[in-house]
Amino acid sequence: MLAIVMTAALQFDGDELLEFRSEADMGSDGYRRVVENLRSIRDTNENIKYAYIMRRTDDPSTLEFIADAMSLAPEDEMDEDGDGILSDEEIAPILGDTYPIDEYPVLRDEAFYHPSVDNELLPDQWGLMMASYAPIYDRNGNVAAVIGTDVVVDDFQRQTQATLLPFMLFIFALILLLTLLTLVIFRYQSE
């Protein structure tokens, strides 16, 4: 997760991101490129559910969305459950939407200083997630924004189990083999 978000941060121009201030900017070609780039990052990494860019606000406990991979998506694409109604969880954040970060210590305290990953699984309106973040810099080396990517925990747990099971089977087989080898050596030694 950290490698993906660090590489993704390099794909954005912090100076360009600073120019996006109002919903009117969402119609610009530059904004469309940013959203398409976020979409590409999300779509080429099968485990990533959400990709977004946020910036600081005057309130240190609140960030503001600049863009989300789904910011310009049509409603039928956002309607994940296909019921024809967009629930709060299905509505993509748009430029200027705020996000409280008091309950997200890594996003609040670390994300704007260095690439980081949540230390624990954290719930928000979109579900239980594991998130990673990386700062995006402007031409003067100042942090203009932070990019975040989220992995749905169900996918994370499934992957962890898929990786852990073969490893555990290998360890069990290795212990069994060493036990048998030890018994054979003791038998030969006692004879």
Side-chain angles (χ1 to χ4, degrees), residues 3-168:
I4 291 169
V5 80
M6 288 170 61
T7 304
L10 299 173
Q11 298 177 32
F12 297 93
D13 178 357
D15 293 303
E16 180 181 41
L17 296 175
L18 291 171
E19 294 174 9
F20 304 133
R21 289 287 169 193
S22 68
E23 285 189 44
D25 295 326
M26 293 177 67
S28 71
D29 290 338
Y31 191 82
R32 289 185 205 286
R33 276 193 311 275
V34 167
V35 171
E36 287 171 10
N37 201 358
L38 285 169
R39 250 183 121 96
S40 175
I41 291 164
R42 184 200 63 196
D43 293 346
T44 56
N45 295 283
E46 69 181 67
N47 301 324
I48 294 177
K49 176 77 174 180
Y50 302 108
Y52 47 89
I53 299 174
M54 294 191 280
R55 67 174 147 233
R56 290 184 171 131
T57 64
D58 293 334
D59 178 358
S61 65
T62 303
L63 295 182
E64 174 182 80
F65 279 97
I66 295 174
D68 181 272
M70 295 295 286
S71 290
L72 299 175
E75 286 188 16
D76 62 323
E77 192 175 333
M78 284 192 254
D79 185 16
E80 290 183 16
D81 59 12
D83 66 357
I85 300 169
L86 288 180
S87 64
D88 288 344
E89 296 81 27
E90 294 173 324
I91 296 173
I94 61 170
L95 178 60
D97 283 354
T98 58
Y99 188 75
I101 59 169
D102 282 335
E103 297 179 22
Y104 305 96
V106 173
L107 182 56
R108 183 190 64 229
D109 302 331
E110 299 178 39
F112 285 85
Y113 300 102
H114 58 83
S116 43
V117 177
D118 283 340
N119 299 325
E120 57 187 78
L121 305 175
L122 300 168
D124 66 9
Q125 72 190 62
W126 294 284
L128 194 58
M129 304 285 172
M130 173 70 75
S132 58
Y133 314 99
I136 300 172
Y137 298 94
D138 65 14
R139 71 174 146 255
N140 297 322
N142 299 315
V143 176
V146 66
I147 183 169
T149 58
D150 296 349
V151 173
V152 177
V153 176
D154 293 341
D155 292 342
F156 181 77
Q157 289 174 333
R158 181 181 42 80
Q159 279 190 321
T160 302
Q161 290 172 352
T163 304
L164 189 59
L165 182 61
F167 178 73
M168 293 302 291

